[in-house]
DNA sequence: CAGTGGTCTAGACCACCCA
DNA sequence: GGGTGGTCTAGACCACTGT
């Protein structure tokens, strides 16, 4: 079955991607142009493009066109190195936008943390960029008693976990992580400027301190081609 | 844009999925049947099906049809609980097929473990099933000096990590994990009986013992809708 | 063999982005 | 307003699965 035309197309498109002259500014030629060049229809061409999108080689932005995807970002969700720090450490340019902050209950977070459903949280929702590409939409839910005055601080430019340690003396001892591939929900897709249903990666973290008091719960939605999760462990499993 | 017909179709199909009478044996009606029922073309209907596939709700098998996807398997790659054990613990039926074993060099594993490129490894390649659905194709590369006679043992039915501990007294102290979403390569797709380019999750692990001697490297390729990765951490990051 | 999904054609109109 | 991707139609033939 590897004689399907759209699969041979992906091979030729891969060559095209590695040719720096063919894609100026990392942008691919228009679908109609490519379809004509490869003597096929837009439907078949788009099948090939979708394949490369699944491989993480290209992505689309709104209705603007197809672009070559940059290298994945290495990300260790078990550490609290700030987003800004580790993005810069990889030679990339980070940016963060706070979309909203408020204080209200969130039953999902409450359940994960073992709290009553009407427990209010300090909620921060933000969108994060790497080299001006929005790659992550996330919400954080912090137990207010653990970090009084959190929302008045500068929670955007510094590592939140770092602040929890330094300002409130918390130790983030027990960390539980769940992650799986998903189709980005409508809201997150809109915030990231991609079509609903675009492939994504969902990461949820639940944090307790050394006395097993609930501290924080968060939900991250990443573009699937934007990151490579890494975890380093020392000690017995 | 949520007024696209294929998106409304996904809503109606989701209802259909939750109706146990509509899909006998977890199998969906034929595409032509569904297209007719929803008064659209196969192309549009398939767009809706692809959306649900991305959400992990349905999957296809060869050219046999579309099936409702079962619940995701919880999997903690940092632990050495055997596949058989944790699959059964979740009320599912595990099965493993060994596809091949041999001893030969593998530069990728050698590099990950910091060994010379011509370092030979004990190599085990296998395919694993949950409830008779092939969900994982993996290769393991063990440093022969750490586990002499490994390939003569019963490496299929017992936890490999458990054996490394009990038979060879190894402690798997330093574990490094890398994972990212991918399009399944041709070989793995064929072994899992799905189309090349189906969405998958790649997991790579590199293991050193307490003296930082290299022990093992493995590469896993999972169907993207088959699992939810979980990690539990205690102690300082 | 009949039925299934897999692939492909040759058009069309629409919604949105940018100059 | 021109160009882009997003969506959709109404067909067709092929390759494979199961009987």
């Amino acid at each position: 079955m590897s004689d399907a035309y759209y699969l041979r197309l992906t091979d030729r498109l891969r060559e095209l991607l590695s040719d720096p002259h063919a894609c100026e500014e990392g942008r691919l030629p228009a679908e109609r142009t490519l379809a004509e060049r490869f003597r096929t229809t837009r439907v078949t061409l788009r099948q090939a493009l979708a394949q490369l999108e699944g491989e993480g080689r290209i992505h689309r932005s709104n209705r603007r066109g197809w672009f070559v995807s940059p290298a994945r970002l290495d990300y260790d969700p078990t550490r609290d190195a700030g987003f800004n720090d580790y993005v810069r450490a990889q030679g990339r340019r980070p940016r963060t936008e706070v979309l909203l902050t408020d204080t209200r209950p969130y039953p999902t977070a409450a359940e994960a943390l073992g709290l009553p459903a009407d427990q209010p949280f300090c909620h921060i929702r933000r969108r994060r960029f790497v080299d001006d590409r929005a790659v992550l939409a996330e919400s954080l839910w912090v137990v207010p008693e653990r970090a009084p005055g959190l929302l008045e601080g500068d929670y955007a430019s510094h590592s939140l976990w770092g602040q929890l340690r330094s300002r409130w003396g918390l130790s983030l001892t027990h960390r539980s992580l769940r992650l799986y591939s998903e189709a980005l929900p409508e809201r997150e897709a809109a915030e990231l400027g991609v079509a609903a249903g675009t492939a994504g990666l969902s990461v949820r973290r639940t944090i307790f301190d050394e006395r097993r008091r609930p501290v924080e719960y968060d939900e991250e939605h990443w573009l699937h081609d934007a990151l490579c999760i890494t975890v380093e462990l020392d000690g017995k499993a």
Side-chain angles (χ1 to χ4, degrees), chain A:
Chain A
M1 287 304 293
S2 74
D3 51 345
Y5 188 55
Y6 82 93
L7 288 177
R8 275 179 292 149
L9 254 186
T10 61
D11 294 334
R12 298 176 66 181
L13 287 169
R14 265 186 283 264
E15 290 171 22
L16 193 144
L17 295 183
S18 58
D19 176 3
H21 298 290
C23 322
E24 55 173 310
E25 310 261 337
R27 180 176 187 160
L28 274 72
E31 291 181 358
R32 288 169 178 82
T33 307
L34 289 171
E36 193 177 1
R37 181 185 309 177
F38 294 116
R39 299 178 189 288
T40 183
T41 57
R42 268 182 75 206
V43 176
T44 301
L45 176 86
R46 279 170 63 85
Q47 206 171 352
L49 291 173
Q51 182 82 9
L52 295 171
E53 186 183 32
E55 294 173 13
R57 291 174 193 273
I58 61 175
H59 64 273
R60 48 188 129 180
S61 171
N62 283 325
R63 288 157 192 273
R64 300 194 302 116
W66 292 89
F67 298 84
V68 179
S69 286
R72 292 172 189 265
L73 186 73
D74 282 327
Y75 167 55
D76 186 339
T78 68
R79 302 190 183 279
D80 66 349
F83 179 81
N84 292 324
D85 294 333
Y86 64 75
V87 170
R88 258 194 287 267
Q90 293 174 51
R92 316 288 285 273
R93 193 156 36 78
R95 200 176 89 222
T96 301
E97 278 177 12
V98 175
L99 299 176
L100 76 85
T101 63
D102 58 15
T103 300
R104 61 187 164 100
Y106 181 49
T108 304
E111 188 186 347
L113 292 166
L115 294 168
D118 59 354
Q119 163 76 42
F121 295 97
C122 295
H123 173 215
I124 301 174
R125 182 157 188 88
R126 52 193 181 183
R127 171 164 62 172
R128 309 195 107 163
F129 299 75
V130 173
D131 296 337
D132 286 323
R133 179 187 181 201
V135 297
L136 164 63
E138 66 172 350
S139 270
L140 304 131
W141 313 82
V142 181
V143 178
E145 290 76 17
R146 294 295 100 73
L150 170 70
L151 294 185
E152 284 75 52
D154 178 9
Y155 40 79
S157 60
H158 295 89
S159 158
L160 183 76
W161 282 18
Q163 289 187 58
L164 292 178
R165 284 193 213 278
S166 58
R167 284 183 59 190
W168 289 281
L170 293 168
S171 66
L172 312 177
T173 308
H174 305 283
R175 304 184 294 289
S176 150
L177 208 66
R178 296 178 65 79
L179 64 93
Y180 56 90
S181 77
E182 63 170 356
L184 289 175
E186 215 161 317
R187 178 187 190 184
E188 283 74 13
E191 289 171 346
L192 298 178
V194 299
T198 299
L201 205 62
S202 165
V203 181
R204 287 152 199 251
R205 303 189 293 187
T206 313
I207 315 293
F208 298 84
D209 71 5
E210 85 284 3
R211 293 159 59 188
R212 294 205 175 271
R213 295 181 305 180
V215 175
E216 188 241 7
Y217 169 80
D218 64 72
E219 299 180 352
E220 308 177 350
H221 296 270
W222 292 81
L223 295 182
H224 89 289
D225 66 348
L227 84 166
C228 174
I229 305 260
T230 69
V231 178
E232 301 285 340
L233 290 171
D234 290 309
K236 313 216 49 135

